[in-house]
Amino acid sequence: MCTVVIDVADAANARVLAVRDEDPQRAWDAPGEWWPEQYPGVSGIRDRRAGGAWLAVNPAGRRLAVLLNRADVAALPDELAQSRGSLALESVMGRSPEAPLPMHGFNLLEVGPDGARVLSWDGVELRETAIDPGIHMVAHDDLDDPETPRIATWLPEFRALGPAADSADWAADWTALLGVSARLDPEDDRAIIRDNRPYGFPTQSLLYSTAAVTPQGVELDYRALPSPGRWE
């Protein structure tokens, strides 16, 4: 139940804030070039258990990808499901997934030289949603979904900050608003910094990253939270 905010200025420029929710018992590594042979030049936040990435960037290719979970509409036994950890890595090499996929559901945010989009897989259908210029949010359902409480609550607030490209320090502005959102109890379904255990999931917010994708490349900043589901 991760959350991403993205501001698309034009096809070549986008700013991203991504919050990762995961089981705190599942170890990860901070951004690094963990896959030098298979994915040269690619940096990402590595999942130690499966070896894949939640977020990956390819500065030379001016690409970024973030993986978010999504519910399945068709039952896929866990023992038959392949890891989704390769999706972001393949994406930033210019290789997007194609259906059918032996994987549980996901939203894959892709940002590249030709623009930004979300690829959504629900176990039956792979859909593409182009991201128009402006500020948007995506979590475990559709882009800008008004039925997702955190999107309904905070998307207007992020949009009220204005275009990120016009800010002298957009990442600080967005991070400050993320901190404001964290005044909500992490078990509140409107919260972005979350504790999802009351909703039947072991995941809590563990880290966040900001990134700018421009014609000059990709700039990525990473911050781990001091404790799961807690801002301070």
Side-chain angles (χ1 to χ4, degrees), residues 75-76 84 93 116 144 150 164:
L76 176 65
R84 293 165 288 193
M93 297 298 289
D144 298 337
R150 81 197 90 152

Side-chain angles (χ1 to χ4, degrees), residues 19 87 153 197:
V19 178
L87 291 169
T153 302
R197 291 175 294 181

Side-chain angles (χ1 to χ4, degrees), residues 151-165:
I151 292 178
T153 302
W154 295 106
L155 180 56
E157 301 295 327
F158 278 99
R159 286 177 170 170
L161 294 176

Side-chain angles (χ1 to χ4, degrees), residues 19-69:
V19 178
R20 188 187 189 197
D21 295 354
E22 184 52 90
D23 185 340
Q25 301 304 311
R26 187 158 184 158
W28 76 92
D29 292 305
E33 295 187 15
W34 301 108
W35 312 270
E37 295 183 1
Q38 191 171 5
Y39 302 106
V42 169
S43 179
I45 297 172
R46 182 175 66 169
D47 174 69
R48 291 183 188 172
R49 182 185 301 176
W54 165 71
L55 177 151
V57 298
N58 182 346
R62 292 184 286 128
R63 295 182 182 275
L64 173 147
V66 185
L67 178 67
L68 305 91
N69 290 348

Side-chain angles (χ1 to χ4, degrees), residues 15 25 28 46 69 98 114 138 154 189 214 216 225:
R15 276 83 176 166
Q25 301 304 311
W28 76 92
R46 182 175 66 169
N69 290 348
E98 297 181 358
D114 298 325
V138 63
W154 295 106
D189 207 19
T214 69
Q216 288 70 48
L225 297 181

